[in-house]
Amino acid sequence: MEYKYRNLKSEDKLYDDYDISGSQAVYAEYARMDDINPEYAGNPLIEALPFYMSPEELAMSNLHIIRVPSEHDIKTKPLERLLSSISALDSLVIPMRWHYELQRELYWCMCRAYLRRHIDFDAESAGCPITFKGNETREKYHISFPMSEGNVGFSVLGISGCGKSKAVELALSHIPQTIVHFSGTPKQFIQIPYLYVVLQKSNLAGLWNGVAEALDKALGNDIVPVYHTMMRKLNRLNDKLEYAARLCTIFKVGVIIIDEIEFLKSTTRRDTFEDLLSFNNMTGIALAVVGTATDKMNLFPTFQMCRRFGKDIDASEYCRNREEYYELIQQIKNFQCFSNKVTFTNKMKEALFEESNGTVGLTVAIFKEMNRRYITDVHNGKEPKIDAEFIHECAKSNSLKAHERVQIDQNIYHSYSPFETKEKIGSESNTDNDSGSNSEERSIPQRITDITNNIKDKYKLNEDTIRKTIANIILAHPSLTDGEVEATARSKLDDMKPPVKAKPKKKPYYSIENAYKEIISLEEE
């Protein structure tokens, strides 16, 4: 199958011209894979996938500019507006090691799923009718997969509140949901690299309904669902499975990620769960699950079933490692809106660890409550002392029941967990006099934030421009000190003019004019 490759530079990625954070369909772009794996060369389903990011790129892509109220804001702005601004912390993302492991495993999982998938264009066939963006077209490709053993997926496991679902959504946001190959020509076909299904029902009928619903959304049929409507009309579980297998094969799905697996009750018949293995064998589509380790072990008790969900990614490791958790606090504390910047002491860190059970979800919730309570008290003329006792008070009023629930989950998780527990207590003394913050190695996002704050007031430039300049210097020269990075950044920024915001390039997924141009260009070739 012949197609043109995009000439990528080292820092380029496929689909740079698109905003692929949503479900917008994109025209296929292709990158050569000969130097990575000769078996991938010439496979459009693999060569159209954007390559996964390095840890540095992933950290930069997850940076969100969160503006918290300044001391001046606290004194001058209305209380209601100040409290509303604290909600911006909900979008805070702290890059962790397992986030990189997740997006890397997702990429290789899709490659495995497409490696043995064969597609052949049948020009003489009338084609299979499909509905895309509410319009009916014809799919003339024959898809085959050797039915020996299905491809292996992966599992994201961890206690509630550790950030599993958000991490999965972030990993998926860098991959197009729908790729249109040879758009506007008789050889057009559609590839859906992934389907993300959040379970809401307690049986596999709910799963297959969710698969059809996710397909409609990916194909732009969500306003008038086509495949979800047809799936709901089927009553027998075998009929639903076969219909899901046919749809996912036609639209060349790479992996189906099943979140909230606790909704699949273990009381369901074992042969029902074995239907998942049949689906895996029939289609070659990989399956991934998101949930707790105990849910996975209860639902898929045999080795044969469990191994189909491949590598276990431990999303809770940082919750059992105080040193790693303390690094997380070091980044969260940058978004405080206290009048005098607070240095978190060891007692304060330990209080947060105790109250949150080491989970980022509860930590952010408690930190938000600390900021809310501080702003409210200051507005009422009384500035509270920010210490370990203050943290315990905020945790108690904000998340007592959540804390108790996470503690129960954590106790169960540790008794069943397949991962080795890595408890690192650290040798720091637990006193209020020594925070240890200056001696801890800072992350790349934190360095970028600190240096940006040092120099941003000296330039009439957009803060994003300053931040990006500093980020590029650090990523290109990671061994430079903060002072050297700052000096280099100043020399670059001194020559800059305030940038004019350019509109992003976005190619439409389909238009008659573009389709006509593509047909003409193909005929000329």
Side-chain angles (χ1 to χ4, degrees):
M1 187 176 293
E2 295 183 0
Y3 42 83
K4 294 180 179 179
Y5 290 101
R6 182 177 163 187
N7 186 21
L8 294 176
K9 298 178 181 179
S10 58
E11 68 275 10
D12 291 342
K13 299 287 184 185
L14 293 179
Y15 312 108
D16 283 342
D17 291 340
Y18 289 95
D19 175 11
I20 58 176
S21 58
S23 59
Q24 178 190 5
V26 302
Y27 284 139
E29 298 178 349
Y30 306 96
R32 292 189 179 278
M33 300 292 286
D34 314 59
D35 57 336
I36 295 176
N37 188 336
E39 288 187 293
Y40 295 163
N43 186 326
L45 299 174
I46 294 178
E47 293 191 314
L49 295 174
F51 202 67
Y52 64 91
M53 293 178 287
S54 68
E56 293 78 16
E57 290 171 329
L58 187 64
M60 285 303 303
S61 71
N62 288 342
L63 274 179
H64 297 277
I65 295 179
I66 298 174
R67 307 187 190 280
V68 295
S70 64
E71 183 178 358
H72 179 264
D73 292 335
I74 293 173
K75 293 179 179 178
T76 59
K77 289 189 176 181
L79 177 62
E80 293 75 16
R81 182 175 291 274
L82 294 172
L83 294 178
S84 296
S85 67
I86 301 302
S87 297
L89 286 168
D90 289 331
S91 63
L92 179 63
V93 177
I94 307 294
M96 300 184 199
R97 289 175 298 174
W98 68 271
H99 289 179
Y100 171 71
E101 184 182 6
L102 168 61
Q103 56 106 32
R104 181 187 61 192
E105 190 60 35
L106 173 61
Y107 176 80
W108 292 119
C109 179
M110 292 187 294
C111 289
R112 288 194 299 269
Y114 288 131
L115 181 58
R116 293 189 292 166
R117 201 87 58 89
H118 302 291
I119 57 174
D120 300 302
F121 179 71
D122 187 354
E124 304 300 322
S125 169
C128 172
I130 63 172
T131 304
F132 178 46
K133 276 288 183 182
N135 300 312
E136 189 171 294
T137 60
R138 292 272 169 176
E139 170 68 71
K140 292 191 174 185
Y141 279 85
H142 174 69
I143 301 97
S144 60
F145 172 77
M147 268 187 69
S148 54
E149 182 177 294
N151 289 306
V152 174
F154 61 90
S155 305
V156 182
L157 307 177
I159 62 176
S160 177
C162 68
K164 301 184 298 295
S165 296
K166 178 173 279 191
V168 170
E169 291 170 3
L170 285 170
L172 295 177
S173 69
H174 302 297
I175 304 170
Q177 170 81 88
T178 307
I179 301 175
V180 183
H181 296 255
F182 307 111
S183 174
T185 74
K187 291 188 175 182
Q188 175 177 306
F189 68 88
I190 295 171
Q191 172 187 4
I192 298 178
Y194 68 87
L195 290 177
Y196 180 45
V197 181
V198 180
L199 289 177
Q200 298 177 350
K201 300 288 184 179
S202 60
N203 52 44
L204 280 186
L207 170 60
W208 302 129
N209 289 342
V211 166
E213 184 178 17
L215 267 171
D216 272 325
K217 288 180 180 178
L219 294 167
N221 302 331
D222 45 325
I223 297 177
V224 183
V226 177
Y227 301 112
H228 188 215
T229 301
M230 290 295 298
M231 181 68 81
R232 289 178 65 87
K233 291 179 179 179
L234 301 175
N235 295 321
R236 296 177 63 246
L237 200 56
N238 282 343
D239 293 339
K240 286 181 178 289
L241 184 151
E242 291 175 4
Y243 186 54
R246 185 154 62 92
L247 289 178
C248 291
T249 300
I250 291 172
F251 293 111
K252 302 157 198 69
V253 175
V255 58
I256 297 177
I257 302 170
I258 308 168
D259 201 350
E260 304 288 1
I261 59 170
E262 62 269 24
F263 284 103
L264 280 175
K265 293 184 178 177
S266 57
T267 52
T268 307
R269 299 194 321 271
R270 174 177 163 179
D271 59 348
T272 300
F273 289 115
E274 289 177 344
D275 285 347
L276 283 174
L277 304 189
S278 299
F279 176 87
N280 186 230
N281 288 336
M282 291 164 57
T283 62
I285 294 166
L287 298 173
V289 294
V290 182
T292 69
T294 53
D295 289 329
K296 180 183 177 182
M297 297 176 79
N298 289 334
L299 294 172
F300 312 112
T302 68
F303 176 72
Q304 181 191 18
M305 297 172 74
C306 203
R307 66 183 290 270
R308 292 297 180 89
F309 297 97
K311 180 179 177 61
D312 289 334
I313 298 172
D314 186 357
S316 290
E317 182 181 358
Y318 75 95
C319 302
R320 306 187 299 276
N321 183 332
R322 276 179 168 78
E323 290 180 2
E324 191 165 352
Y325 177 77
Y326 289 168
E327 171 60 24
L328 182 147
I329 295 175
Q330 284 295 102
Q331 297 183 59
I332 291 177
K333 74 178 181 61
N334 288 322
F335 304 98
Q336 58 182 272
C337 53
F338 312 129
S339 297
N340 298 311
K341 192 158 186 174
V342 175
T343 298
F344 277 57
T345 65
N346 289 337
K347 280 187 177 180
M348 293 170 66
K349 294 176 186 178
E350 186 62 28
L352 274 172
F353 184 85
E354 178 185 337
E355 294 291 353
S356 67
N357 286 301
T359 63
V360 67
L362 265 181
T363 301
V364 172
I366 294 169
F367 191 68
K368 282 170 57 181
E369 181 64 19
M370 291 168 63
N371 281 280
R372 287 195 189 102
R373 181 172 293 198
Y374 178 87
I375 288 175
T376 303
D377 288 353
V378 168
H379 189 267
N380 293 328
K382 182 182 178 181
E383 183 173 354
K385 181 181 179 182
I386 311 300
D387 55 12
E389 185 178 349
F390 183 72
I391 291 173
H392 287 300
E393 290 175 0
C394 292
K396 185 176 181 180
S397 64
N398 180 68
S399 52
L400 179 61
K401 291 184 178 179
H403 168 91
E404 292 172 349
R405 180 65 257 179
V406 171
Q407 182 65 60
I408 294 171
D409 288 348
Q410 195 171 56
N411 291 339
I412 297 174
Y413 182 80
H414 286 168
S415 63
Y416 281 90
S417 176
F419 306 111
E420 179 185 357
T421 300
K422 300 177 181 178
E423 185 78 20
K424 296 182 180 179
I425 303 299
S427 58
E428 313 164 86
S429 63
N430 205 23
T431 67
D432 276 337
N433 297 322
D434 177 22
S435 69
S437 60
N438 294 330
S439 62
E440 294 181 19
E441 184 180 354
R442 292 173 304 149
S443 65
I444 288 177
Q446 187 175 346
R447 290 187 67 196
I448 294 168
T449 298
D450 290 346
I451 299 172
T452 301
N453 290 337
N454 283 344
I455 65 175
K456 66 180 180 181
D457 294 336
K458 299 176 178 62
Y459 294 93
K460 293 182 179 180
L461 294 170
N462 187 290
E463 184 177 329
D464 293 349
T465 301
I466 299 173
R467 183 180 290 270
K468 186 174 180 181
T469 301
I470 293 168
N472 289 337
I473 295 169
I474 291 178
L475 293 178
H477 308 284
S479 61
L480 293 181
T481 65
D482 284 7
E484 292 169 333
V485 172
E486 184 174 324
T488 306
R490 286 178 182 276
S491 66
K492 292 179 179 292
L493 295 171
D494 286 340
D495 298 329
M496 286 189 184
K497 295 180 180 179
V500 178
K501 189 175 181 180
K503 294 183 178 179
K505 302 176 188 176
K506 288 188 182 180
K507 294 179 279 186
Y509 72 90
Y510 180 82
S511 74
I512 294 176
E513 182 181 356
N514 283 342
Y516 177 74
K517 288 179 181 178
E518 290 191 24
I519 292 173
I520 295 298
S521 65
L522 287 170
E523 288 178 352
E524 290 175 350
E525 291 173 6

